[in-house]
């Protein structure tokens, strides 16, 4: 099915199942421990051996010697895989560095060996006996220093966030110089780790030349292709299975060392092998969100209208990598005739930078939305009023291209009313609750909508039961449930008559989970398959498909009504289709919008920051399941709070690695850090996005949160911090006198 004209009335619009706040159908499995995650597939690979990954102890250089003798002789050891005996390996399409290093080393903790043994403890002990000698080279580990000579570099995150190396509209330099009110400020965001609960993990088993990987991966088809490419085997000889994933946030979009090494280990040991990456390797061996240094300049008239806006960002990555597209939202979010955006990419020898929840917009808005607050203060304007004044209903770089939907102003106004913004003191440091200085902050939220081709297979049996099969994944987002809701709505059956099977590369290729495209795209693919199944059902029953109504487990046309299952009396009916997209997104800009409101308390004596309450107001098309969508947004708000207050991968600039590479040193928010959170979804549908009229919302929830927290801190105590995270050491020197 091709979607190339705006959606009109269709079966989804009945909203008997879709749009209802439905409990996740996978919830009971997860809460009772019955959901089989990748490392726990004892049922499919009994007697699996254990692999333990050895990571490089240097960031750049080469291995000059590797003594395996003691490890090979250790109890229980079955095999040791290194670059010397692994055979020819090719770098995957989605990897910047080789997943098995040696003799050349590209980054710290790059996998250089896998020890396979009967037990995990034996594998770990034997790994400690491997003796590696290195020749260390000088590396590049300082982003600020490297950016001094870094070239301009445009790119796309692959997730809807993109910008050219430099983009100019009008004459920014002249307009900025002439602007009566100006801001020129630099903001920095650090490297971030995904820090998901479930580490990267895989079990590999060979049956002849056929490889099956039970793995934790967000994008099954991408992963299948890269495993095949890396190992040099036909794609049809690889099967990936990933029905449950314990968090990914972009870190599991791509195949990592656990999957490839499990496959190599299983081949060497001639039995199934399971591998999980140790927690320290998640920070240094896998991908992370790169640090940025961002300069923002805004010029306005005395009336507050933006006449010039520039956003320049720099980030770093390994050779062959790409930039963090932190300027992308600035191209679309606010009006202004004279505009400049640019990106620079420094070559660093740190671990690979890549996608993390809302790549581009999340760190970009951490800077832009502080700048907007600073500008409002210079103008003596309320921060919300300043944003509303500079709203635009068209792409500011292409004024003839409107937004398909844009309710940013409504999000800001509804949020202000609900949050009690009118009670906020415009003068920082004037609101007090005992020893706590109290402040409110706001930030706009923005994330582009992206549609991806997605397919599904739908089966109908004689009992009227509908089974959906697609390689779509559920990374904790509620995918099982919204796909079931879509099929139930389309086929007119109750939710308990739908079975959903996900995460298997033997199923039709879906959009996968990433980029905020998963929900809308995957359900649209199920819509297409169900539409094909409806045609087959009406043909089998002798109905005119245009007149048929699927409802309450029956098919009805005129005064004739037949049980849905009767269509499959002669045998199961199967339909498969996909949804692909025309150029509607080129004619109208498809984006999602929101507003974040945060209230904080700052201890007047110690500068300790405590978030007191949070509110997100989102406009993101039709909300398919308000309950799971709310969970996505409050989780994103929590991640945004972490980025604002504590999350930072500390770089050792001497030796080139992230020092705090575990959950003891890399701090993330816990329950005590996050108080009451409220989420409001505007009633909205976008007929240009898909037949579902939906968009993504999971990444919108993180966009702008960090700035809202930082702005609230400034309003509370009067200290402006432009270097994230906002920690005590950055607040204390400028705190007002304690009284």
């Amino acid at each position: 099915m091709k979607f190339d004209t705006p959606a009109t009335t269709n079966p989804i619009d009945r909203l008997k199942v879709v749009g209802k706040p439905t409990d996740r159908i996978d919830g009971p499995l997860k809460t009772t421990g019955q959901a089989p995650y990748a490392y726990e597939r004892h049922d499919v690979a009994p007697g699996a051996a254990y692999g333990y990954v050895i990571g490089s102890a240097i960031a750049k250089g080469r291995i000059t010697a590797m003594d395996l003798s003691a490890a090979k002789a250790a109890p229980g050891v079955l095999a040791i895989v290194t670059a010397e005996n692994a055979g020819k390996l090719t770098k995957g399409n989605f990897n910047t560095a080789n997943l098995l290093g040696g003799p050349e080393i590209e980054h710290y903790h790059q996998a250089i060996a896998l020890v396979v043994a009967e037990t995990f403890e034996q594998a770990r002990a034997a790994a400690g006996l491997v003796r590696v000698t290195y020749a260390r080279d000088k590396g590049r580990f300082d982003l600020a220093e490297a950016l001094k000579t870094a070239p301009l570099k445009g790119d796309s995150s692959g997730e809807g966030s993109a910008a050219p190396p430099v983009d100019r509209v009008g004459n920014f330099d002249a307009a900025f110089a002439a602007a009566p009110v100006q801001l020129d400020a630099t903001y920095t965001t650090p490297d971030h780790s995904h820090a998901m609960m479930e580490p990267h993990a895989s079990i590999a088993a060979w049956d002849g030349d056929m490889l099956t990987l039970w793995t934790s991966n967000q994008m099954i088809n991408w992963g299948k292709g890269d495993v095949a490419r890396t190992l040099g085997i036909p794609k049809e000889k690889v099967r990936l299975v990933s029905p449950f994933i314990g968090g990914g946030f972009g870190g599991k979009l791509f195949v990592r060392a656990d999957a490839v090494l499990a496959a190599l280990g299983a081949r060497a040991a001639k039995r199934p092998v399971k591998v999980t990456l140790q927690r320290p390797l998640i920070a240094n061996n896998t991908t992370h969100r790169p640090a940025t240094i961002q300069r923002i300049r805004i010029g306005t008239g005395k009336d507050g209208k933006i006449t010039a806006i520039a956003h320049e960002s720099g980030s770093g990555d390994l050779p062959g990598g790409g930039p963090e597209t932190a300027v992308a939202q600035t191209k679309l979010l606010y009006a202004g005739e004279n505009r400049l955006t640019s990106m620079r990419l420094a070559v660093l020898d740190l671990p690979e930078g890549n996608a993390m929840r809302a790549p581009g917009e999340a760190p970009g808005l951490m800077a832009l939305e502080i700048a907007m607050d600073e500008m409002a203060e210079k103008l003596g304007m309320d921060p919300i009023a300043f944003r509303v004044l500079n709203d635009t209903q068209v792409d500011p770089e292409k004024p003839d291209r409107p937004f398909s939907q844009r309710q940013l102003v409504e999000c800001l106004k509804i949020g202000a009313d609900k949050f009690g913004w009118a009670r906020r003191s415009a003068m920082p440091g004037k609101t007090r609750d005992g020893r706590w200085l109290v402040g409110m902050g706001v930030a706009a939220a923005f994330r582009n909508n992206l549609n991806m081709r997605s397919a599904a297979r739908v089966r109908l049996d004689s009992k009227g039961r509908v089974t959906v099969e697609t390689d779509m994944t559920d990374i904790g987002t509620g995918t099982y449930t919204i796909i079931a809701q879509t099929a139930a709505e389309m086929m007119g059956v109750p939710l308990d008559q739908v079975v959903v099977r996900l995460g298997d590369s033997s199923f039709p290729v879906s959009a996968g989970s990433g980029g905020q495209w998963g929900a809308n795209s995957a359900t649209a693919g199920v819509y297409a398959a169900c539409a094909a199944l409806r045609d087959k059902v009406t043909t089998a029953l002798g109905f005119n498909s245009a007149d048929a109504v699927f409802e309450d487990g029956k098919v009805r046309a005129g005064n004739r009504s037949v049980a849905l299952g009767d269509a499959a009396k002669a045998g199961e009916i199967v339909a498969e289709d996909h949804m692909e997209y025309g150029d509607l997104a080129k004619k109208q800009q498809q984006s999602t919008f929101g507003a974040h409101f945060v209230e904080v308390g700052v201890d007047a004596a110690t500068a300790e920051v405590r978030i007191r309450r949070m509110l997100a107001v989102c406009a993101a098309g039709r909300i398919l399941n308000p309950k799971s969508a709310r969970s996505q947004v409050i989780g994103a708000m929590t991640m945004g709070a972490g980025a604002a207050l504590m999350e930072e991968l500390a770089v050792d600039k001497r030796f080139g690695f992230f020092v705090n590479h575990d959950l003891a040193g890399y701090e993330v928010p816990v329950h005590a850090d996050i108080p009451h959170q409220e989420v409001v979804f505007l009633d909205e549908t976008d007929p240009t996005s898909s037949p579902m009229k939906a968009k993504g919302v999971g990444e919108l929830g993180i966009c702008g949160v960090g700035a809202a927290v930082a702005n609230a801190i400034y309003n509370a105590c009067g200290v402006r911090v432009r270097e994230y995270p906002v920690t005590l050491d950055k607040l204390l020197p400028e705190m007002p006198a304690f009284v």
Side-chain angles (χ1 to χ4, degrees):
M1 180 181 288
K2 188 165 186 177
F3 184 74
D4 52 10
T5 57
T8 55
T9 302
N10 64 47
I12 298 298
D13 294 325
R14 296 180 303 180
L15 298 181
K16 290 191 173 184
V17 188
V18 170
K20 302 300 182 187
T22 306
D23 290 347
R24 282 170 48 178
I25 59 178
D26 55 316
L29 293 175
K30 291 183 174 178
T31 54
T32 58
Q34 298 178 76
Y37 290 89
Y39 200 68
E40 302 161 348
R41 296 308 301 268
H42 316 297
D43 55 327
V44 293
Y50 291 79
Y52 191 89
V53 179
I54 299 175
S56 169
I58 66 170
K60 187 175 177 62
R62 61 186 287 110
I63 297 171
T64 57
M66 187 181 291
D67 184 355
L68 306 178
S69 56
K72 287 180 177 178
V77 172
L78 302 171
I80 300 178
V81 177
T82 69
E84 285 194 359
N85 63 15
K88 183 181 179 181
L89 301 177
T90 302
K91 188 164 65 177
N93 291 322
F94 294 97
N95 300 131
T96 304
N98 292 297
L99 296 183
L100 178 59
E104 298 298 324
I105 298 300
E106 297 166 280
H107 62 84
Y108 184 79
H109 269 174
Q110 183 175 22
I112 58 171
L114 180 79
V115 178
V116 181
E118 293 286 355
T119 70
F120 173 79
E121 291 77 12
Q122 289 173 332
R124 181 177 59 186
L129 300 175
V130 174
R131 295 292 176 258
V132 185
T133 305
Y134 300 95
R136 191 193 305 269
D137 290 343
K138 184 178 181 181
R140 297 155 291 189
F141 312 127
D142 187 326
L143 175 61
E145 186 63 30
L147 282 176
K148 292 177 182 177
T149 56
L152 292 165
K153 171 69 173 176
D155 208 347
S156 167
S157 67
E159 299 193 16
S161 177
V166 61
D167 196 11
R168 294 180 181 272
V169 176
N171 188 333
F172 167 79
D173 295 320
F176 183 73
V181 185
Q182 301 174 348
L183 171 76
D184 185 344
T186 297
Y187 307 85
T188 65
T189 64
D191 298 287
H192 288 151
S193 176
H194 299 88
M196 69 288 289
M197 187 176 294
E198 179 201 23
H200 296 71
S202 299
I203 298 178
W206 292 87
D207 183 3
D209 61 353
M210 180 72 192
L211 169 66
T212 301
L213 273 168
W214 295 270
T215 187
S216 187
N217 187 275
Q218 297 174 230
M219 302 290 294
I220 298 300
N221 191 53
W222 290 5
K224 176 177 178 173
D226 259 14
V227 168
R229 176 178 170 82
T230 303
L231 299 179
I233 61 179
K235 190 174 179 179
E236 60 269 20
K237 294 295 185 179
V238 178
R239 180 185 176 202
L240 260 63
V241 185
S242 192
F244 293 98
I245 301 165
F249 314 121
K252 295 176 182 174
L253 286 172
F254 323 109
V255 166
R256 301 308 307 171
D258 60 292
V260 169
L261 290 177
L264 293 170
R267 186 160 64 187
K270 296 180 172 56
R271 60 191 278 192
V273 168
K274 58 168 58 182
V275 176
T276 187
L277 295 184
Q278 308 93 285
R279 183 61 64 175
L281 267 65
I282 291 174
N284 284 295
N285 175 279
T286 72
T287 62
H288 69 282
R289 189 199 304 282
T292 68
I293 299 175
Q294 304 177 50
R295 181 189 183 191
I296 296 177
R297 288 174 286 171
I298 303 174
T300 72
K302 292 182 178 179
D303 60 356
K305 286 191 175 181
I306 294 174
T307 56
I309 184 167
H311 192 163
E312 299 161 279
S313 178
S315 59
D317 203 357
L318 289 166
E324 180 73 21
T325 53
V327 306
Q329 73 290 319
T330 308
K331 295 166 65 62
L332 290 163
L333 190 50
Y334 296 114
E337 293 182 3
N338 302 285
R339 315 175 67 83
L340 166 66
T341 58
S342 70
M343 297 188 296
R344 292 188 182 275
L345 177 63
V347 174
L348 297 177
D349 298 304
L350 293 172
E352 179 182 348
N354 215 310
M356 182 170 168
R357 198 171 192 174
E361 288 96 338
L365 284 163
M366 289 172 75
L368 176 63
E369 287 300 290
I370 293 183
M372 290 296 288
D373 255 45
E374 293 199 63
M375 198 66 196
E377 184 178 44
K378 282 177 173 285
L379 289 159
M381 291 183 68
D382 177 84
I384 293 178
F386 179 52
R387 289 171 171 85
V388 170
L389 177 67
N390 289 288
D391 184 49
T392 173
Q393 292 299 307
V394 298
D395 179 343
E397 294 190 0
K398 302 172 184 175
D400 58 341
R401 185 167 174 257
F403 285 89
S404 61
Q405 298 279 349
R406 183 179 167 114
Q407 295 198 77
L408 173 61
V409 170
E410 288 77 5
C411 291
L412 288 164
K413 289 183 175 180
I414 290 170
D417 182 63
K418 195 166 188 66
F419 202 68
W421 185 259
R423 300 194 301 271
R424 170 186 176 272
S425 170
M427 182 70 69
K430 296 301 181 183
T431 303
R432 194 150 182 168
D433 181 8
R435 64 183 291 156
W436 294 94
L437 299 168
V438 180
M440 294 186 196
V442 67
F446 173 94
R447 178 76 170 152
N448 272 331
N449 182 63
L450 190 62
N451 297 321
M452 297 283 279
R453 187 184 192 277
S454 195
R457 182 186 304 126
V458 188
R459 303 177 182 274
L460 173 67
D461 66 19
S462 60
K463 295 180 180 179
R465 184 168 51 229
V466 177
T467 300
V468 183
E469 296 171 338
T470 171
D471 79 355
M472 181 63 186
T473 52
D474 191 325
I475 57 176
T477 48
T479 306
Y480 278 100
T481 309
I482 59 173
I483 283 180
Q485 288 176 275
T486 302
E489 195 78 74
M490 287 294 292
M491 301 310 299
V493 298
L495 203 59
D496 60 11
Q497 279 289 92
V498 179
V499 176
V500 178
R501 301 176 67 194
L502 299 179
D504 191 324
S505 64
S506 65
F507 298 155
V509 176
S510 73
S513 296
Q516 196 175 269
W517 65 61
N520 184 39
S521 298
T523 54
V526 174
Y527 175 101
C530 286
L533 181 61
R534 284 164 64 108
D535 287 343
K536 288 191 174 186
V537 167
T538 54
T539 298
L541 295 175
F543 284 117
N544 183 330
S545 61
D547 300 329
V549 176
F550 288 68
E551 198 169 49
D552 300 327
K554 298 178 181 179
V555 185
R556 188 179 70 251
N559 58 4
R560 184 181 169 213
S561 180
V562 181
L564 177 64
D566 287 355
K569 279 185 176 179
E572 185 181 55
I573 300 177
V574 182
E576 183 175 327
D577 202 354
H578 65 271
M579 185 66 69
E580 59 180 301
Y581 297 87
D583 61 356
L584 287 179
K586 295 179 181 178
K587 295 176 181 176
Q588 295 186 336
Q589 174 61 40
Q590 295 179 4
S591 302
T592 60
F593 296 90
H596 286 290
F597 293 82
V598 175
E599 181 181 89
V600 304
V602 180
D603 189 290
T606 68
E608 174 190 352
V609 177
R610 285 289 178 186
I611 296 176
R612 295 159 68 101
R613 57 194 179 103
M614 306 176 79
L615 166 68
V617 183
C618 303
R622 170 173 283 151
I623 303 300
L624 303 175
N625 182 346
K627 192 167 192 175
S628 59
R630 177 185 180 275
S631 293
Q632 281 296 288
V633 174
I634 65 172
M637 293 161 71
T638 301
M639 291 183 76
L645 297 176
M646 59 191 71
E647 292 189 44
E648 176 182 14
L649 284 170
V651 180
D652 186 319
K653 295 179 183 177
R654 302 165 302 163
F655 300 114
F657 69 100
F658 299 129
V659 180
N660 52 333
H661 48 215
D662 57 36
L663 293 182
Y666 185 83
E667 296 184 9
V668 297
V670 297
H671 284 83
D673 296 311
I674 305 299
H676 179 70
Q677 295 171 299
E678 192 170 356
V679 181
V680 174
F681 296 114
L682 298 194
D683 187 12
E684 174 181 287
T685 59
D686 191 336
T688 71
S689 70
S690 80
M692 306 300 295
K693 304 174 185 175
K695 296 176 184 173
V697 75
E699 300 194 356
L700 180 69
I702 196 175
C703 294
V705 177
V709 174
N711 291 336
I713 291 170
Y714 176 75
N715 183 245
C717 65
V719 181
R720 179 69 74 185
V721 178
R722 301 183 181 93
E723 179 185 353
Y724 288 100
V726 184
T727 47
L728 301 184
D729 55 306
K730 297 164 189 171
L731 291 171
L732 277 169
E734 298 182 51
M735 285 286 290
F738 177 65
V739 292

